[in-house]
Structure formats: C-alpha cells, structure tokens
Amino acid sequence: MAAYLQWRRFVFFDRETVKEPPAPDGAGGKAFALPPGIAVCDSGRGSLVFGDILRGDGQIWFLPRSLQLSSFQAYKLRVTHLYQLKQHSILVSVGEDEEGINPLVKVWNLEKRDSGNPLCTRIFPAIPGNKPTVVSCLTVHENLNFMAIGFADGSVILTKGDITRDRHSKTQILHEGSYPVTGLAFRQSGKTTHLFVVTTENIQSYMLSAKDYPHLELDTHGCGLRCSSLSDPSQDLQFIVAGNECVYLYQPDERGPCFAFEGQKLIVHWYRGYLVIVSKDRKTSPKSEFAGNEAQNSDKQVLNIYDLCNKFIAYSSIFDDIVDVLAEWGSLYVLTRDGKIHVLQEKDTQTKLEARRSMLFRKNLFEMAINLAKSHHLDSDGLSEIFRQYGDHLYNKGNHDGAIQQYIRTIGKLEPSYVIRKFLDAQRIHNLTAYLQTLHLQSLANADHTTLLLNCYTKLKDSSKLEEFIKTSESEVRFDVETAIKVLRQAGYYSHAVYLAEKHAHHEWYLKIQLEDIKNYQEALHYIGKLPFDQAESNMKRYGKILMHHVPNETTELLKILCTDYQPSGDSEGPGMLEGKKANSEEFIPVFANNSRELKAFLEHMTEVQADSPQGVYDTLLELRLQNWAHEQDEQVKEKLHNEALTLLKSGRFKTVFDKALVLCQMHNFKDGVLYLYEQGKLFQQIMHYHMQNEQYKKVIEVCELYGDQEACLWEQALGYFARKEEDCKEYIAAVLKHIENKNLMPPLLVVQTLAHNSTATLSVIKDYLVNKLQKQSRQIEQDEQRIKKYREETTRIRQEIEELKASPKIFQKTKCSICTGALELPSVHFLCGHSFHQHCFESYSESDSECPTCMPENRKVMDMIRAQEQKRDLHDQFQHQLKCSNDGFSVVADYFGRGVFNKLTLITDLPSGKAVATTIEAGLQRELLLPTKRST
C-alpha cells in the first residue's frame, strides 16, 4: 500500500474557464454557461454530450469545440444515463417517456438523420425480469457486440450481438444480487472479453468469451456510483475501484496493487495514464445510499490527478459542486453545477520534465526523475543527460560503483572520454573495466578503447575475464582484433595473442609472434602449411630465411610442395578434388642462403618433377654443382660431380643463356664444360685457341680436321700458330700443308710468307708442297691451252657455217620426221636448223608456226634471258628517282650494275612468219640459228 501523503505534488495542468467565442463586434470573453439542470454527461467523437434530469424536458445536448450548442428531444420526460462510444458515432441513452419506473434504452446513430435529428436505431425497455427498477449504470463494448446495464436492485442485464438492432441481439440477466450495481466495465484482451461488475459491497468478474459466462468474486467491498473505471494498457487494463479509504486495482482473476487515497470519493476517471479522482474536501461526510453521490451537497470538492507509475500528484485543485469530468480534444473538462466548464490543459512533456527535473535534481531525487522521463517517453538524449547528472552526483559522493552504473546507461550518447578520464586512477580500474566492457558489448568501442580495456585486464591480472573477452564467437566480436593482438603481445600474453590471431585469421601477426616472441618455429611452419596458396607463398618469402635457419629440412619439404602441387594441409577436400597451385621456384632461391645442401636438394627435386622449371633454377643448380666440383678433394666424388655438371650442361636448358653458362664454366675452370659450350655455339676458333693456349698440338690438328670443312680459316690459323712456334713442329706443319694443298685453301706465296716467320722451318718443310703445287699449275696450264685451242676451232667452224648460209642455198635431205621418226612424206615442214617434220606432226606438236618444236625449249631459255635484260633497260626513271632520294648513291649504282642494267646488248627483232624461204637472212644470221624459220615443201 502506498500512502499518497508521501507523494510529491506538481502542477502539470493549466486551469482555465471556457469562455464564449468573441462576437462579431469584438465583444465577448465572458464565461460560457450550459443550460441549467444538466446532470448526466459524456464525451466522444468530437463533442461533449449532456442530458438533463432536473429540468425534465428529455433533451440531449451536443457541444462541439466551436461551442455552438445544439440539442434534440430524446425522451418526453428525462434523460438519466448517456454512453458515447469512442470509435463509433453511436450514442446509447437511458431515459423515461412517462412517469413511474419505466426506463427505456435508446440507441442513436449520430451519422444518420431522421427529420433533422439523429436516427434512433433501437428502443427497448430496461427491465430485469418482471419487476421494474431504477437503472444505476450503463456500459457498451466498443465492438458493438456487448452492452451491460446495472440496476439498483443488484441486477445486471447483458445484451449480446449487434446492439444497434433488435433482431441480431439477445438480452439476458447476467447477474443478480442484493446490493445496487454501481459500476460496469468491459475489458478486452486478445480474443478474451471480461465484464467487471461492482456493487456497494463486492466486485465480480465475468468471462463473456466462455460458455455460461463463468464469474469470479474479486473482493468483498465495493464503491459508490461513478467511483470505478478501467485503466489503459499502461496499467495493464486494470479495473479501478475507489473506496473511501483506498483505491484498489483488479485484474480479471485477482486483486492488484492498492493506493491509500483517503477521503470520500465522488467521481473516478482514467485519462492518459493518470487517475482522476474527485472527492469531498471534508473528511467527515454522511454516507448516502450509493456511497458518495450527494448531488445537493454544496461542500467544496477536490480534484486530484495521480500518476500511479511514478507516484506523484500531477495536479490538485478545489472546485464547487462538480457534476462530472470529461476528456475530449486532448484536455480534461470539469463541469460544475452552475453550468460553467473548466478546462485542464496538460503541459507539454518538455515543460513538465524541466520543471520536475529542476526540483528533483535539487533534492537529488534522480530515480524519480528517471521514472518520470521514461513514463513520458523522453528521447534517449534527455534520458542520457539525467543518467549523466545522476552519475556525477554519485561520483562526487564517492559512490564510484553506483556512478559507473549510471555512466554505463549513457553509452551511445555521452562521449566515452568524459567517463574514462574520471576513472583512470589505478584504484578505480575495476569500475573503468566494467564501463569499457559494456562499451564493447554495444559495439561502440574504437581501437583506443580496446587497448585500454586489455590493459585493464592485464593490470588486474584477470585472466578469466581476459579469456572471456577474446574468446567470443566470431559473430560477436565487438573490438578491433588487430589492436587487441598488439596490446596482448606488448603485455606478454603471447598465448592469448596467438589464439586471437589464429581465430580471426590474422596470419601475419600469428607468425610474427610465433617466430619472434615464442620462437616456436615448428608450429609456425605447420601453420603456414595450412594457409591458402597466396598467403602461404607470401609468408614463406617473408619468413623463409628464419625457418630455413632453424628447421631446414621441414622448410625445404614445404617449399618443394609449394612449388609443385600445393594444397593446404587443413583442406577438407580429398586429393584430386582441387587443382593444386604452383609457386615460382626461382623466387625462393634466396631463402637458402648459407644452406647449400638443402638448396641443392630443392633444385634437383624441382628439375626432376618439373622439367619446365624457370631458367634461374637450372642456372643456380649448375653454379652449385660447379662449386662443389671445384672444392671437392676426393677424386671419386669429384668425378661424380664432374659428370653431374656435364650432364646438366648437356640437358639443353642453357641455349638461351649460353653466355651465362660459359662464364660459370670459365670461372670454375670447368674445361669439358667450356669446350662443350664452344662446340654447341659453333665457336670453333675458340676451341682451337683453347688448345693453342694449352699447347695441345694434336688437339689443334683434330679441331681442324673436325671443323675445318665448316670453317676453312682454321687451317690457316693453325699454320700461322705452328709457324710462330720456335720449337720443332715440322710434323704438324706438314699435316697442315697437306690439307691446305688438297683443299687449295691458300696461295703458295702466302704459305711461304707465313712460314718465313718460323726460324726452325727450313725449305725442306715446304719442298714437297711447292713441288706438288707447281706440278698442278703446270697441268692446269696445259688444260687451259687445250681448251683455248678447242674454242678457236669451234669458232672457226661456226663462222664457216655462217658464211655458207649467207652465200649458198640450204639443201634439206632429211628422210625421216624428227617427231614421229617415220618416212618423210609431202606435205612436210623444214627448218634451217636441219629438223624436218610431217605437216600434221608439226601442227599437232608445234606451239608456234615460226619455231622448231625440237629446238624451242633451248631457244626459250635464251630468249627469256634476253627479255629479262631488256626489261631492266626500262628501269631508267626508277633508277634516277632512287638515286636522287638515296643517302648512299653509290650503293644504288652498285646494285644496278650487279643486275646488268648497264650491259650493252643487241637484240634482233623477230622476222615475219611464213612458209616461204627467208629472203632477209642479212637481218641477222645469229638469230636465225636460235629461231629457225620453217620451210614448207
């Protein structure tokens, strides 16, 4: 039970008297007055509704906001009860049309008119059973399916169905008792409907949504007329019953809280979360028949407006003879017996809060201020400011635990630095930790906050809290992971930092801590093997040297896998399910610094399993093998290394890097490799020079014999080499001279001049050479003289034939055809070249009438050569243009000389074709020999 005397009082409502609207002439301002005798009223649908009892004219009055009062005749005698529905334009009234106890219920549709008045849709007598009695109270459900009427004899009738029509509703007696019914109220919760019935002596609840309407007695005391009401959802739709000592709240199945509001209650209403109670100003007053309704009593009355949630009085004022309190247009209207209307206008929320907060803050009643703000739905910014002031108050009092709880409630609105600065003292670190934890839980922390919180954990050495903080699920992470890792590492919590890095896939931090702090190289290498290809590759490039230094064998094995067919070791896919990726093995060669044994194993593995390895792999492997060969002392091992290096050279992988391989072999004095590369590069002179430098005379001769056909100058160089030797080289000089003589590579004079530089070479060395050479030249001279003689005889013969053709007739004595070799018959065709043909053979095989078919192929070759030279003679203009435009005119002239453009040439034109003997032999017998004219016999 809460005693209201302890409740604080506020003035959250402004009181004014309703005044008449100003007249057109500007006059007005006097108080508005209702017609006298009004005793019943209600409100809703934008109007205040009044009915009369004392006047006895049966009028129902409507007062809109414009204060233009209107009425219509509802009953002949009087109106006793009104109920205006809030969601429908339906008005239900109870009144009398004749003297006696004969109440009538009328249902009015205010939207429809009948002769200018609202349409009455239903009329029925309000009589429970056969005994007439006075109606004491009335209520209607907003769904228009229930209506309850209470009577002074304790009866309650219930109308179920459409209350606006007779045919669709059913009326029955719901309750019978010995005490007058003073209040009724419907309560709707979901699909469940309850009816509260209160009498002067008890309170009952009926469940209307169940069969037979089961009921439950809630209490054994009641209240007077108009002293009960139903709260809104803010108070869970509780039924309020105001007795003279206390105010009780009820649920459909039990009694709720109780408030000790003393005084005789006259009127009770619920308005927007407030409980409105009108009570007598005097505490002692005779009790009437209905416990509180003394209309004729003129004592002062007190109107109190209570906030039950926050336990304060929002308004209190004294009025004269209140008829009722109505709620409409967002305000409370107090109707008094003198016809005046007083309006109570609630102040706006901000004004109320400012007024109350200033007073509460002065008295440090922060809890009450917070409750007030919440009940009035103050925004989060306003609430946060209250929490901040409350926290400051507790902090100044030294209550740091309580203060931090209030500051936590400001998270999201108040700048965290405001709170953090207050609790940086080491003695308050646990408070700061609580605040930072909540800041992270709401995902409002930045990297600095994470750093600070982790430092708090480490200062407190609270490992359990630290583990709880970092071991949240990935979806619940509310901090910057990288910052947390840095702080934990700096504080020496390496295991926690490693856990966090591994969980959130911060691979770089995991490896950095494992390798630099924990020194767990084996675990770091195993972790890299579980990473995706790209990350595994980059981390091996970064940390490969460290790992190679400490775990060389395992690192080498991982690199082999990484560069061949890599799949993460933790991959759930089976073998062959994913195509492995390959790294560039050449890029990992620097990792093996100072680990030549592992490097050799790695490179040899790569060349075996991956023949198309980068060239750098083969180059490095060659260099490594040459180094091992050069430094090896054991002859057997050295021979093995020699063969391995030479085999690698002969693999064909060094064609594109010939020079590099040659330099490597020369640096390590690898003779066989150098000679092999010279041979592959066709550097025969270098091979011979190599043997010359080593004075290997037989090798010099062998080189000349092997490669002399491809490069003839080798013999000349060999002769010069041996000629410069002061020692006796007659044997080698003789071998060289023999080959020079056979191939005729040098003039004899040059040979003599070359050997003249050798002081040991005597004439006997070249005697045989010179004799053989002179003999050959003598034989050549004899052959040339015989050829000259033959050409002269041939020339004389041809000249004689020409003279004969010029001076003597040609006699054709051929008896056989030159084509078919058959006996020659007329008609026949003869040519000056001496060939004869049958005419039909000639016509069948000849391509031209003027050419001999037998001589034509040879003649054609000659003619093509003549025509080609003739065409070149027409290139004069082109030659002049190129000569002018070219930077090197001599090269143009030389090119045209080479093509025979400037040769003098005589071209004999063709003779006219015909079958008669040519009579113009003088035109050129040389051409006739090439193009014989045919003769027809």
Side-chain angles (χ1 to χ4, degrees):
M1 180 180 292
Y4 83 101
L5 294 177
Q6 299 176 358
W7 289 21
R8 299 189 179 275
R9 295 175 179 268
F10 300 94
V11 182
F12 286 169
F13 288 82
D14 294 324
R15 174 178 171 177
E16 293 182 1
T17 301
V18 177
K19 297 182 179 180
E20 293 183 352
D25 57 359
K30 63 180 182 178
F32 178 82
L34 290 171
I38 292 177
V40 294
C41 53
D42 203 355
S43 63
R45 309 299 292 178
S47 297
L48 304 182
V49 186
F50 308 105
D52 66 292
I53 294 178
L54 302 179
R55 286 183 59 183
D57 57 1
Q59 295 280 331
I60 293 179
W61 302 79
F62 295 95
L63 181 66
R65 197 164 193 177
S66 62
L67 302 181
Q68 300 297 322
L69 195 62
S70 61
S71 66
F72 72 96
Q73 186 74 37
Y75 295 91
K76 295 178 180 179
L77 291 182
R78 65 184 62 85
V79 180
T80 59
H81 296 82
L82 291 173
Y83 192 94
Q84 173 66 58
L85 276 80
K86 304 300 185 285
Q87 299 178 14
H88 303 276
S89 296
I90 300 295
L91 175 65
V92 179
S93 63
V94 178
E96 298 174 358
D97 283 340
E98 57 186 21
E99 295 294 342
I101 303 175
N102 190 20
L104 290 177
V105 178
K106 295 186 179 181
V107 181
W108 308 90
N109 188 334
L110 303 181
E111 292 181 346
K112 297 182 180 181
R113 315 302 290 183
D114 182 14
S115 301
N117 297 327
L119 175 64
C120 181
T121 62
R122 184 180 181 186
I123 302 175
F124 65 94
I127 300 175
N130 297 322
K131 183 181 178 181
T133 183
V134 176
V135 174
S136 58
C137 55
L138 166 70
T139 187
V140 181
H141 199 294
E142 287 293 334
N143 64 10
L144 300 179
N145 286 326
F146 294 101
M147 178 168 59
I149 303 173
F151 296 90
D153 65 353
S155 302
V156 176
I157 63 172
L158 176 68
T159 300
K160 183 178 181 182
D162 189 353
I163 66 168
T164 63
R165 299 175 183 273
D166 289 325
R167 291 184 299 176
H168 298 90
S169 63
K170 179 182 180 181
T171 302
Q172 66 184 84
I173 297 176
L174 178 70
H175 174 80
E176 291 182 332
S178 303
Y179 305 104
V181 178
T182 57
L184 298 169
F186 287 106
R187 183 183 188 273
Q188 186 71 40
S189 178
K191 296 182 179 181
T192 304
T193 305
H194 288 86
L195 174 64
F196 291 101
V197 178
V198 58
T199 68
T200 56
E201 299 298 333
N202 58 32
I203 304 169
Q204 298 190 45
S205 169
Y206 286 84
M207 183 182 291
L208 303 183
S209 55
K211 187 178 181 181
D212 298 331
Y213 307 140
H215 69 281
L216 176 67
E217 186 174 24
L218 300 176
D219 218 332
T220 57
H221 60 81
C223 66
L225 283 173
R226 301 194 297 174
C227 290
S228 63
S229 183
L230 189 71
S231 70
D232 59 18
S234 67
Q235 279 291 332
D236 199 19
L237 296 174
Q238 297 185 90
F239 187 55
I240 302 170
V241 177
N244 288 336
E245 300 298 330
C246 297
V247 174
Y248 301 92
L249 278 66
Y250 297 92
Q251 292 286 352
D253 55 354
E254 63 180 354
R255 191 175 81 175
C258 172
F259 299 92
F261 300 151
E262 296 182 354
Q264 183 180 354
K265 313 301 187 299
L266 302 177
I267 301 172
V268 173
H269 286 294
W270 186 266
Y271 169 74
R272 291 187 175 182
Y274 294 110
L275 177 62
V276 181
I277 296 180
V278 177
S279 58
K280 284 197 173 184
D281 191 23
R282 295 182 306 174
K283 294 185 180 180
T284 59
S285 178
K287 190 174 182 181
S288 70
E289 180 183 1
F290 294 102
N293 186 19
E294 295 184 3
Q296 70 278 8
N297 197 319
S298 61
D299 290 339
K300 297 290 185 179
Q301 297 171 352
V302 179
L303 184 147
N304 288 322
I305 302 177
Y306 299 94
D307 186 332
L308 301 183
C309 292
N310 299 302
K311 296 181 174 55
F312 65 86
I313 301 174
Y315 183 78
S316 182
S317 182
I318 297 176
F319 291 86
D320 293 329
D321 215 359
I322 297 176
V323 175
D324 207 344
V325 180
L326 306 176
E328 191 66 24
W329 308 308
S331 302
L332 286 174
Y333 291 87
V334 182
L335 174 63
T336 56
R337 190 69 61 186
D338 57 5
K340 293 182 180 180
I341 302 176
H342 304 273
V343 59
L344 299 180
Q345 180 70 43
E346 186 179 10
K347 296 180 180 180
D348 63 89
T349 302
Q350 193 62 34
T351 302
K352 289 190 294 182
L353 290 175
E354 290 298 331
R356 185 174 179 187
R357 281 164 53 190
S358 61
M359 185 272 288
L360 292 176
F361 292 168
R362 286 195 303 271
K363 297 183 179 181
N364 298 324
L365 299 176
F366 291 97
E367 289 292 345
M368 185 175 290
I370 291 169
N371 293 335
L372 172 66
K374 288 181 177 179
S375 64
H376 286 80
H377 307 291
L378 184 64
D379 60 20
S380 56
D381 292 335
L383 276 172
S384 177
E385 178 61 20
I386 298 175
F387 295 142
R388 182 195 64 79
Q389 294 185 31
Y390 192 13
D392 291 346
H393 169 71
L394 295 175
Y395 181 85
N396 293 331
K397 289 177 62 178
N399 184 2
H400 298 133
D401 294 340
I404 203 65
Q405 294 304 317
Q406 299 306 317
Y407 287 135
I408 285 174
R409 300 167 80 178
T410 66
I411 290 176
K413 298 297 179 182
L414 182 63
E415 177 61 36
S417 59
Y418 177 86
V419 180
I420 292 172
R421 283 196 299 267
K422 290 178 177 289
F423 292 90
L424 284 177
D425 194 316
Q427 296 178 350
R428 304 168 191 166
I429 194 171
H430 63 281
N431 299 125
L432 179 60
T433 303
Y435 179 81
L436 293 171
Q437 284 179 169
T438 309
L439 197 65
H440 282 80
L441 287 174
Q442 298 185 18
S443 301
L444 296 174
N446 57 28
D448 294 333
H449 299 148
T450 301
T451 302
L452 189 55
L453 177 58
L454 292 173
N455 283 326
C456 289
Y457 285 142
T458 55
K459 296 281 186 190
L460 294 172
K461 299 188 182 302
D462 192 347
S463 298
S464 60
K465 282 286 186 182
L466 179 59
E467 290 187 6
E468 180 183 351
F469 177 73
I470 68 174
K471 291 185 178 181
T472 55
S473 64
E474 191 166 351
S475 60
E476 297 176 353
V477 174
R478 298 181 176 90
F479 57 88
D480 184 74
V481 175
E482 187 171 356
T483 300
I485 295 173
K486 291 179 181 178
V487 174
L488 291 171
R489 184 190 183 197
Q490 186 177 5
Y493 284 79
Y494 300 128
S495 60
H496 295 78
V498 165
Y499 169 83
L500 210 55
E502 182 177 12
K503 179 180 178 181
H504 298 282
H506 284 258
H507 311 307
E508 182 179 352
W509 281 107
Y510 179 91
L511 295 171
K512 190 176 292 185
I513 297 170
Q514 287 283 20
L515 296 174
E516 298 177 7
D517 301 319
I518 304 177
K519 310 293 185 182
N520 192 342
Y521 306 103
Q522 191 72 41
E523 186 62 31
L525 188 65
H526 177 68
Y527 184 81
I528 293 175
K530 297 188 295 183
L531 297 179
F533 171 78
D534 294 334
Q535 296 173 3
E537 181 185 26
S538 62
N539 281 293
M540 282 304 295
K541 290 178 180 178
R542 183 176 301 162
Y543 302 110
K545 290 184 179 180
I546 299 176
L547 294 170
M548 183 62 67
H549 178 71
H550 293 91
V551 281
N553 294 331
E554 294 82 353
T555 304
T556 303
E557 291 302 316
L558 179 58
L559 286 175
K560 289 179 181 179
I561 298 173
L562 189 63
C563 296
T564 52
D565 188 15
Y566 178 77
Q567 288 185 359
S569 59
D571 202 331
S572 59
E573 297 287 345
M577 295 296 291
L578 295 175
E579 182 180 353
K581 295 185 177 180
K582 300 177 183 179
N584 186 347
S585 51
E586 184 177 4
E587 297 176 355
F588 292 98
I589 293 176
V591 171
F592 293 89
N594 303 321
N595 293 82
S596 58
R597 181 173 59 87
E598 286 76 14
L599 176 59
K600 181 181 178 184
F602 172 72
L603 295 176
E604 289 177 346
H605 173 79
M606 293 308 302
T607 56
E608 291 173 4
V609 301
Q610 190 174 324
D612 58 343
S613 294
Q615 185 60 45
V617 171
Y618 288 92
D619 296 344
T620 308
L621 181 58
L622 175 62
E623 183 177 5
L624 198 60
R625 287 183 175 180
L626 291 175
Q627 287 178 355
N628 294 339
W629 171 82
H631 295 89
E632 184 58 49
Q633 301 298 324
D634 190 326
E635 291 299 327
Q636 293 182 351
V637 177
K638 191 177 185 72
E639 181 64 22
K640 179 181 178 182
L641 294 174
H642 174 278
N643 295 335
E644 289 178 354
L646 193 59
T647 302
L648 183 61
L649 276 175
K650 293 180 178 181
S651 64
R653 296 293 306 183
F654 299 92
K655 294 179 179 179
T656 58
V657 289
F658 174 84
D659 295 340
K660 185 174 183 180
L662 183 59
V663 170
L664 288 174
C665 292
Q666 290 173 342
M667 287 173 56
H668 296 89
N669 196 25
F670 190 57
K671 180 179 71 172
D672 291 346
V674 172
L675 294 176
Y676 172 77
L677 292 174
Y678 281 159
E679 182 181 0
Q680 292 298 112
K682 299 186 182 302
L683 303 177
F684 307 127
Q685 295 186 39
Q686 280 79 352
I687 296 175
M688 190 169 67
H689 290 163
Y690 180 86
H691 293 308
M692 289 177 178
Q693 291 175 357
N694 293 280
E695 297 185 349
Q696 298 173 339
Y697 302 148
K698 291 184 179 181
K699 292 289 184 179
V700 173
I701 299 299
E702 290 178 1
V703 170
C704 292
E705 291 175 348
L706 289 173
Y707 312 115
D709 294 340
Q710 302 179 47
E711 199 164 343
C713 63
L714 294 177
W715 291 105
E716 299 175 14
Q717 295 177 10
L719 181 62
Y721 169 74
F722 289 122
R724 289 191 295 273
K725 288 294 181 181
E726 296 298 329
E727 56 194 78
D728 187 7
C729 297
K730 295 180 180 179
E731 178 185 355
Y732 303 109
I733 293 175
V736 174
L737 287 175
K738 181 178 180 181
H739 191 82
I740 291 175
E741 178 186 354
N742 294 336
K743 298 294 184 179
N744 193 24
L745 299 178
M746 294 176 65
L749 182 59
L750 183 58
V751 172
V752 174
Q753 291 176 349
T754 302
L755 292 176
H757 298 287
N758 192 332
S759 58
T760 61
T762 60
L763 185 61
S764 61
V765 176
I766 61 172
K767 176 181 177 182
D768 295 338
Y769 168 76
L770 293 175
V771 170
N772 293 336
K773 198 65 178 175
L774 291 174
Q775 290 177 352
K776 285 183 179 180
Q777 289 182 354
S778 298
R779 288 194 294 270
Q780 185 65 37
I781 291 171
E782 291 178 359
Q783 292 176 1
D784 291 342
E785 289 178 349
Q786 291 176 2
R787 191 175 294 109
I788 291 171
K789 181 179 179 182
K790 178 181 177 183
Y791 288 157
R792 285 176 177 174
E793 292 176 352
E794 184 70 20
T795 302
T796 303
R797 183 183 61 80
I798 292 174
R799 286 178 178 173
Q800 290 176 355
E801 290 181 1
I802 293 172
E803 289 297 328
E804 289 178 358
L805 290 174
K806 288 181 179 180
S808 304
K810 179 68 174 178
I811 299 173
F812 301 103
Q813 296 178 342
K814 285 283 189 179
T815 60
K816 293 184 179 182
C817 175
S818 298
I819 294 178
C820 66
T821 67
L824 198 61
E825 299 176 352
L826 296 177
S828 59
V829 179
H830 303 276
F831 285 89
L832 292 176
C833 61
H835 295 110
S836 300
F837 307 93
H838 293 115
Q839 185 172 356
H840 64 272
C841 290
F842 173 77
E843 292 175 353
S844 298
Y845 290 94
S846 176
E847 296 179 5
S848 173
D849 292 343
S850 60
E851 294 186 61
C852 172
T854 303
C855 300
M856 183 177 63
E858 189 65 27
N859 294 340
R860 285 282 179 87
K861 293 180 182 180
V862 178
M863 292 304 297
D864 288 342
M865 294 173 62
I866 295 174
R867 288 193 181 93
Q869 294 179 357
E870 184 180 14
Q871 289 174 0
K872 292 179 182 179
R873 296 181 63 188
D874 297 332
L875 299 177
H876 174 74
D877 294 338
Q878 182 179 355
F879 167 73
Q880 291 294 336
H881 176 73
Q882 291 184 6
L883 192 61
K884 291 179 181 179
C885 298
S886 176
N887 295 327
D888 187 2
F890 180 78
S891 62
V892 176
V893 174
D895 178 55
Y896 275 81
F897 263 112
R899 291 156 59 183
V901 175
F902 302 105
N903 294 347
K904 184 176 182 181
L905 180 66
T906 301
L907 182 64
I908 302 174
T909 59
D910 296 337
L911 290 174
S913 60
K915 296 184 180 180
V917 178
T919 58
T920 58
I921 298 178
E922 297 81 2
L925 289 177
Q926 291 180 352
R927 188 177 184 282
E928 288 183 359
L929 291 174
L930 295 175
L931 298 176
T933 304
K934 72 176 182 177
R935 293 179 179 270
S936 178
T937 305

